[in-house]
Amino acid sequence: AKWDLLVDSSINSKDSLLFVYDLLVENPGLVLELSSHTDPRGNDVYNQVLSENRAKACYKFLVEEKGVDPRRIIPVGKGEREPRTVYLLAGKYLENEPKDENGAMAPGTQVIVLKEAYMNQFKKTNKRLFEQLQQYNRRTEGKVVTLEFDPSTAPPVNPDYLIFKPLPKAK
């Protein structure tokens, strides 16, 4: 239920956003959509607002702390609607598709969509794995909208991008 930028032993959100910042500096025409996702715990409305706030936290960091033109970032909340796909190979979950020497998916790889039913099988038997899989779903992804940003013709930014919404009461 948080949208603070995480910095801990497993995640450094600010480092990731500094990488995005460097991309924006190196590519002045780049406009990015930053889509934030939640795990499936909680109801759809709650997770939608939470994901919007998480996207806005990334937006605010890039705009307010790093000085990026706010029209170059579009924060989008996706809630729990698009679960992450991971890869299971030799008992390990991998975020990126493992490839063989020919660039094809490594033999024996299972493609896993992290839906609630899949993750819940580990809830009682392997709490660490259950939480790891939930964390994979809690993410922000970038998508290139255009490489032709023009500050003289770009439309104004939505002022709501700077305003966090209160979370609805969990049901």
Side-chain angles (χ1 to χ4, degrees), residues 77-89:
K78 299 279 187 162
E80 60 185 82
R81 294 187 311 259
E82 297 177 12
R84 176 92 183 252
T85 297
V86 295
Y87 305 89
L88 181 60
L89 180 62

Side-chain angles (χ1 to χ4, degrees), residues 95-133:
E95 295 181 65
N96 299 309
E97 181 180 322
K99 306 280 187 177
D100 66 13
E101 61 278 353
N102 298 317
M105 184 184 300
T109 301
Q110 289 180 273
V111 179
I112 308 288
V113 178
L114 293 177
K115 293 183 178 181
E116 190 169 18
Y118 180 84
M119 294 183 293
N120 280 346
Q121 69 181 312
F122 304 107
K123 192 172 189 174
K124 293 183 178 171
T125 60
N126 190 340
K127 186 74 169 165
R128 186 195 62 74
L129 177 58
F130 174 76
E131 289 301 329
Q132 175 190 354
L133 298 176

Side-chain angles (χ1 to χ4, degrees), residues 53 58 82:
N53 285 346
C58 296
E82 297 177 12

